[in-house]
Amino acid sequence: MIDHDAVLWSATGEDQDDRSLLIVMHGYGSNEADLFGLAPFLPLEPVIASLRAPLIAPWPIDGFSWYPIDSPGQPDESGVDLAAEAVLEWLDSLPNQPSTIGLLGFSQGGAMAMQLLRHAPERFAYAVNLSGYVPPGVVPGDAVLAERRPPVFWGRGTHDQVIPLSAVTRTVDWLPEHSKLAGRIYEGLDHSISQQELADIRAFIERQL
């Protein structure tokens, strides 16, 4: 389950009315405050909801995870599916449904953005995958995505040593067939987000509004 009390919102009450929603999902071992710090660099139009992952990361990691990370880049499909279903249940529980919904995630959160697209392709207008990947397996929504081809931004660095090559290769093969891909590789960037990438993310999201 997603902890409703842990969600960080950029706007509340009437300030959410008639606005789009951007669901933000942090990486492994982090928390909802991490990517919420990107809010000043993102467009003002979407209401940002930064979620806390439902699992406590194992010691000595001090944070949370969306699914177990036993095999980096090759997670058990059932764990990723359960996490996606938890986010969809949280979304269904909102008292007011937003006009449009976008997804943004970093690393494990980026994989979550892809899996949410695959589980409910009709619900999300676009996705931003930062230093993440597409989880393995086949999801029923994949065929719908191949037809709809929603806009997806995928950014990663040339010095990223966290995401294994097999996961990158899988994503390179999958995204062009299931999305309108806006991808960029950042020279010298490790497993992180650069100022140039933030500018590219902002421009991408603005094009979707």
Side-chain angles (χ1 to χ4, degrees):
M1 299 288 292
I2 299 300
D3 185 346
H4 287 245
D5 294 333
V7 178
L8 295 179
W9 292 91
S10 64
T12 57
E14 294 181 355
D15 290 336
Q16 294 183 2
D17 292 348
D18 301 319
R19 292 173 64 184
S20 60
L21 174 66
L22 178 61
I23 299 173
V24 173
M25 293 165 287
H26 61 78
Y28 178 77
S30 188
N31 59 57
E32 68 279 4
D34 186 8
L35 293 186
F36 195 68
L38 300 181
F41 303 96
L42 300 176
L44 293 175
E45 167 57 27
V47 175
I48 295 172
S50 185
L51 310 186
R52 175 188 292 176
L55 304 180
I56 297 176
W59 186 89
I61 303 298
D62 182 21
F64 300 86
S65 70
W66 295 98
Y67 50 84
I69 199 169
D70 298 334
S71 180
Q74 192 73 25
D76 182 82
E77 296 169 29
S78 62
V80 188
D81 289 338
L82 284 173
E85 290 165 7
V87 174
L88 291 173
E89 289 174 3
W90 168 82
L91 185 58
D92 288 338
S93 73
L94 297 180
N96 298 308
Q97 291 299 307
S99 54
T100 60
I101 308 171
L103 301 163
L104 184 152
F106 174 77
S107 191
Q108 203 181 62
M112 282 294 300
M114 298 298 93
Q115 201 73 352
L116 282 163
L117 270 185
R118 301 170 78 185
H119 273 259
E122 73 287 347
R123 299 194 70 170
F124 303 108
Y126 62 90
V128 177
N129 180 354
L130 306 176
S131 302
Y133 55 88
V134 173
V138 177
V139 178
D142 289 350
V144 179
L145 286 177
E147 294 181 0
R148 295 173 63 97
R149 296 171 61 84
V152 171
F153 178 91
W154 182 35
R156 60 188 179 91
T158 58
H159 288 184
D160 190 336
Q161 301 297 315
V162 173
I163 306 301
L165 179 59
S166 60
V168 173
T169 300
R170 181 173 63 245
T171 308
V172 167
D173 292 339
W174 191 93
L175 276 176
E177 297 180 356
H178 297 86
S179 72
K180 183 179 179 182
L181 177 61
R184 181 160 183 183
I185 300 174
Y186 298 89
E187 188 67 36
L189 182 66
D190 57 11
H191 196 63
S192 59
I193 303 171
S194 68
Q195 288 293 324
Q196 180 58 61
E197 189 171 21
L198 282 174
D200 293 338
I201 296 164
R202 183 187 184 102
F204 171 81
I205 295 176
E206 287 176 341
R207 291 196 296 271
Q208 315 312 321
L209 301 177

